[in-house]
Amino acid sequence: MRMRLHFSFPLVCLLALYIRSFSAFYLPGLAPVSFCDKKEKADEDCQTDIQLFVNRLDSVESVLPYEYDVFDFCKDDKELRPSENLGQVLFGERIESSPYKFKFKEDVKCSRVCLPKTYKQGNKDDIAKLDFLKMGMQLNYQHHWIIDNMPVTWCYDVEDGQKYCNPGFPIGCLVAGDGRAKDACVINSEFNKKNTFYVFNHVDIKIKYHSGEKEGWTGARLVAATLEPKSIKHADEDHPNCDGGNPMEVPADFNADVSIVYTYAVTFEQDNTIKWASRWDYILVSMPHTNIQWFSIMNSLVIVLFLSGMVAMIMLRTLHKDIARYNQVDQEDAQEESGWKQVHGDVFRPPRKGMLLSVFLGQGTQIFIMTFITLFLACLGFLSPANRGALMTCAVVLWVLLGTPAGYVSARLYKTFGGEKWKTNVLLTALLCPGIVFADFFLMNLILWGEGSSAAIPFGTLVAILALWFGISVPLTFVGAYFGFKKPAIEQPVRTNQIPRQIPEQSFFTKPIPGIVMGGILPFGCIFIQLFFILNSIWSHQMYYMFGFLFLVFIILLITCSEATILLCYFHLCAEDYHWWWRSFLTSGFTAVYLFIYAVHYFFSKLQIIGMASTILYFGYTMIMVLIFFLFTGTIGFFACFWFVNKIYSVVKVD
């Protein structure tokens, strides 16, 4: 077992770094699209029209995303929604067509998007629409535009002369009553009027393309799309001038009619230095903290490997001496000894609440296999940010299809514990934990429905999820449980005494709660750096793409949870406390408690979320993450300890 573990670990490290080194990795399932102008139009595979799609708008100050149409922007006459997968719907993505339409290689200097949006004082609908637009600017809601499945980015200079490309741009900004400019208003000194909103009603779009003349293929491929948002007050609404002028101001007090004209300019630029397969690089490389992540993960890797090696050496040397001593001494001397061998007649005594433990372990096995396969596919590039919604879709489908191992593990362990209520066991395995997650998810969805957010899951999708759960996952759980109960109970290496042995008084560190609390520290230390970037991607809307590192941290977490649980289990057995079943599960599972504490710290120290609804949503979704992580880490610790206890009691002489 040790040889196989130490052999595979360097391979995983090399695989992760190998995958990361290929910045121009071709994304499976995403074929390039060729564009050409009217003169070059020669075949059906070459397109002249470029369609700009708009996604939902979100904010770092609110958990509630909204659809594009809610803010009363210019709409497309022929609204077209591309087909969305399950992951996109669950993440609240609402992609639709926009009135921004371009012809390839045809520059546009200044074009009006639609008729002016006019808001009159006496009209209640106009007041409500303008108030909602102001709310969006006050909370810094961001546009997310897409061209050729590629985000249209807003690139600007940050500290140390670096350029940061944001996959979104604000709808406007606010200068508060005290004169302080907020967020995007800082970029322009003209935005200085107190208690005033400035709408970004104009965008200068630049589209770069890679020509295929020298490459042997027809037309050109789009490799970058950037824009610069501007606020311009157009004097002539019918013939707008986009060269400059006063900014488009919206007073905080609605004391006059407001008219907003939305315009755009587009230019095309040939750039053969950027390959189509690496067109996301300029976005991902400019993401903040990239260098910090490289250094931190490597540093964490070295520390964890060192600690794991020390734990393994101590365990192997200590156990080797114990086993040799116990096997060599006379039986009478052994009776007088104290230590882990003295509890051999009680160590496999079935635990209390064995039903619940077996259910948790079945669900944990299902989550573990789902996570492993999902991360492995993500490492291969199938679940990259370019393949929208694929990560969540893959995870949900895998979870549904993995009901069989959940039922099998739960039934087999429940039978080993001596349980006979097999129907209850199967039903709880199929319904308990998924039911808690679904109930939490449904309550959060009710809040989203009430707030009119685009993240609210449609009723039809909820029915589809229930159909997948009860139509596929539950029957597969029954199939797995059938085979699990058909198998004989797991044979233990030693017999269990009829009368339980009295447990001596324990020291503070060998009592259950201190041991469990200490057990989760080391595994959490392995993941908290990655956890920061994952929470950033969820709540701060930053792209997460370093799946090679995430898979590497996943392997480190497995090793650390296993070794920490085995170490503490050994200490408790040496103290003649044989209640290890639940303790092994809770020791590594307590890592989830540290995850929750970190999520609370992240909420108060890193996020700017305001509003009761957003706060409830944050902690509601966090509880789902904590429950899943609890089952996942607890299962790892239990099976590591189960293997360890079986191993050590199978190699000692017991009369």
Side-chain angles (χ1 to χ4, degrees):
M1 183 70 178
R2 277 184 64 228
M3 291 179 63
R4 188 161 60 244
L5 180 66
H6 288 289
F7 174 72
S8 62
F9 191 73
L11 286 181
V12 173
C13 298
L14 290 173
L15 176 64
L17 294 175
Y18 176 78
I19 292 173
R20 177 65 186 90
S21 65
F22 277 87
S23 58
F25 193 82
Y26 184 83
L27 301 171
L30 298 174
V33 178
S34 296
F35 294 89
C36 54
D37 57 22
K38 294 179 180 179
K39 298 178 182 178
E40 299 171 336
K41 180 72 174 174
D43 54 58
E44 297 179 357
D45 296 331
C46 188
Q47 299 183 16
T48 58
D49 296 327
I50 299 176
Q51 175 70 62
L52 188 148
F53 289 92
V54 292
N55 203 343
R56 52 94 198 272
L57 285 84
D58 54 35
S59 168
V60 295
E61 299 182 27
S62 174
V63 180
L64 302 167
Y66 291 100
E67 289 199 51
Y68 179 82
D69 293 344
V70 177
F71 288 93
D72 196 37
F73 297 126
C74 293
K75 299 180 182 179
D76 187 15
D77 296 332
K78 303 176 182 177
E79 273 202 20
L80 173 67
R81 284 187 179 271
S83 58
E84 296 170 341
N85 56 43
L86 180 61
Q88 288 177 289
V89 176
L90 292 177
F91 267 124
E93 291 199 20
R94 297 293 183 268
I95 301 176
E96 58 187 72
S97 58
S98 75
Y100 297 87
K101 295 179 174 63
F102 322 121
K103 295 288 186 181
F104 183 66
K105 285 188 179 180
E106 292 186 10
D107 294 351
V108 177
K109 187 176 181 181
C110 184
S111 177
R112 194 175 69 177
V113 183
C114 62
L115 294 174
K117 295 288 184 178
T118 304
Y119 305 95
K120 299 186 180 296
Q121 280 184 286
N123 191 311
K124 291 184 178 180
D125 290 339
D126 289 349
I127 294 173
K129 289 177 182 178
L130 191 60
D131 284 344
F132 198 81
L133 184 63
K134 290 177 182 177
M135 181 277 294
M137 289 185 280
Q138 186 173 2
L139 294 180
N140 195 29
Y141 270 82
Q142 305 266 321
H143 283 284
H144 293 281
W145 290 1
I146 303 166
I147 289 180
D148 191 29
N149 198 40
M150 181 175 53
V152 183
T153 58
W154 175 35
C155 297
Y156 52 89
D157 295 326
V158 291
E159 55 186 13
D160 299 330
Q162 295 182 340
K163 186 176 285 291
Y164 173 53
C165 291
N166 189 355
F169 68 96
I171 62 178
C173 61
L174 166 66
V175 176
D178 56 6
R180 287 187 298 178
K182 185 177 180 182
D183 301 318
C185 277
V186 179
I187 65 173
N188 197 323
S189 60
E190 294 182 3
F191 301 159
N192 52 22
K193 188 176 291 187
K194 294 181 181 180
N195 211 24
T196 302
F197 294 90
Y198 294 91
V199 182
F200 290 139
N201 60 327
H202 174 81
V203 287
D204 288 329
I205 303 173
K206 179 187 288 186
I207 300 175
K208 294 183 179 181
Y209 61 91
H210 183 108
S211 178
E213 295 177 2
K214 298 181 180 179
E215 307 287 339
W217 39 269
T218 308
R221 294 171 181 172
L222 306 187
V223 293
T226 60
L227 60 75
E228 181 182 355
K230 295 181 179 179
S231 180
I232 301 175
K233 174 67 175 177
H234 298 288
D236 188 348
E237 295 181 348
D238 294 325
H239 302 89
N241 182 7
C242 304
D243 291 334
N246 296 323
M248 181 65 227
E249 300 175 356
V250 178
D253 299 325
F254 197 2
N255 49 18
D257 293 349
V258 176
S259 181
I260 303 175
V261 179
Y262 291 95
T263 56
Y264 73 93
V266 60
T267 56
F268 290 86
E269 179 183 317
Q270 182 173 336
D271 188 347
N272 283 1
T273 61
I274 305 175
K275 302 294 184 182
W276 181 87
S278 59
R279 62 180 185 164
W280 282 69
D281 282 7
Y282 83 98
I283 306 171
L284 301 179
V285 171
S286 70
M287 295 298 286
H289 309 299
T290 303
N291 294 330
I292 297 174
Q293 175 149 325
W294 274 93
F295 172 77
S296 300
I297 292 179
M298 295 308 295
N299 184 52
S300 177
L301 178 63
V302 171
I303 294 173
V304 170
L305 286 176
F306 173 74
L307 291 174
S308 300
M310 291 296 292
V311 169
M313 285 178 59
I314 292 169
M315 293 301 302
L316 289 170
R317 291 186 63 182
T318 306
L319 275 176
H320 180 73
K321 289 181 180 179
D322 281 352
I323 292 170
R325 185 173 71 254
Y326 283 135
N327 285 340
Q328 288 173 7
V329 297
D330 295 332
Q331 181 65 19
E332 293 181 1
D333 296 334
Q335 291 290 342
E336 298 174 1
E337 289 255 14
S338 62
W340 57 270
K341 190 189 175 188
Q342 300 309 304
V343 296
H344 66 82
D346 298 275
V347 73
F348 291 107
R349 190 176 302 282
R352 297 176 182 175
K353 308 291 184 183
M355 170 83 79
L356 185 61
L357 180 59
S358 63
V359 169
F360 282 173
L361 292 169
Q363 280 296 318
T365 303
Q366 188 175 10
I367 294 168
F368 168 75
I369 300 173
M370 174 198 76
T371 307
F372 179 83
I373 297 175
T374 302
L375 289 180
F376 184 74
L377 292 176
C379 281
L380 298 180
F382 287 95
L383 310 179
S384 71
N387 202 352
R388 302 174 189 278
L391 187 72
M392 179 61 79
T393 303
C394 178
V396 172
V397 171
L398 283 173
W399 180 85
V400 168
L401 297 177
L402 289 170
T404 302
Y408 178 84
V409 170
S410 178
R412 190 86 191 277
L413 287 172
Y414 181 62
K415 188 174 183 180
T416 301
F417 296 156
E420 298 178 352
K421 299 178 180 178
W422 64 272
K423 294 180 181 178
T424 307
N425 175 261
V426 179
L427 287 173
L428 286 177
T429 304
L431 302 177
L432 178 62
C433 297
I436 294 173
V437 172
F438 185 82
D440 189 332
F441 185 77
F442 184 74
L443 289 175
M444 298 303 104
N445 205 50
L446 287 178
I447 296 175
L448 292 170
W449 270 338
E451 296 290 332
S453 172
S454 66
I457 308 300
F459 181 75
T461 304
L462 287 176
V463 173
I465 293 173
L466 287 173
L468 290 173
W469 179 14
F470 287 100
I472 300 177
S473 180
V474 172
L476 288 177
T477 306
F478 273 83
V479 171
Y482 170 78
F483 288 105
F485 279 112
K486 290 282 285 182
K487 286 273 189 179
I490 299 173
E491 187 177 350
Q492 312 296 1
V494 290
R495 294 193 304 271
T496 302
N497 296 334
Q498 292 184 354
I499 302 175
R501 178 187 178 90
Q502 186 175 0
I503 299 173
E505 188 174 348
Q506 301 292 306
S507 66
F508 174 79
F509 293 103
T510 55
K511 288 181 179 178
I513 294 179
I516 290 171
V517 172
M518 289 187 297
I521 294 175
L522 189 59
F524 178 75
C526 304
I527 64 167
F528 81 95
I529 296 171
Q530 279 296 323
L531 186 61
F532 172 78
F533 292 101
I534 292 172
L535 291 177
N536 270 352
S537 69
I538 297 173
W539 303 114
S540 296
H541 314 295
Q542 296 181 8
M543 290 186 182
Y544 189 90
Y545 65 99
M546 304 185 85
F547 292 107
F549 277 125
L550 186 59
F551 189 76
L552 188 61
V553 170
F554 174 79
I555 300 299
I556 294 172
L557 180 64
L558 295 183
I559 298 170
T560 313
C561 281
S562 302
E563 292 189 341
T565 308
I566 288 172
L567 185 63
L568 288 167
C569 179
Y570 174 72
F571 289 153
H572 288 117
L573 290 176
C574 287
E576 300 183 27
D577 185 351
Y578 50 83
H579 295 306
W580 64 274
W581 298 96
W582 270 106
R583 188 176 296 168
S584 63
F585 183 86
L586 296 175
T587 297
S588 54
F590 201 80
T591 311
V593 177
Y594 291 109
L595 186 150
F596 177 74
I597 295 172
Y598 184 82
V600 174
H601 165 74
Y602 181 85
F603 177 82
F604 288 107
S605 64
K606 302 295 181 183
L607 295 182
Q608 307 166 7
I609 290 177
I610 57 176
M612 181 59 71
S614 293
T615 303
I616 294 173
L617 288 167
Y618 176 86
F619 285 103
Y621 287 127
T622 298
M623 292 308 298
I624 294 177
M625 293 170 54
V626 168
L627 175 60
I628 293 172
F629 197 73
F630 170 72
L631 296 172
F632 167 68
T633 52
T635 302
I636 295 170
F638 175 87
F639 282 112
C641 199
F642 184 78
W643 170 84
F644 170 75
V645 172
N646 274 272
K647 197 71 174 175
I648 64 174
Y649 283 99
S650 65
V651 295
V652 296
K653 296 176 183 177
V654 178
D655 294 333

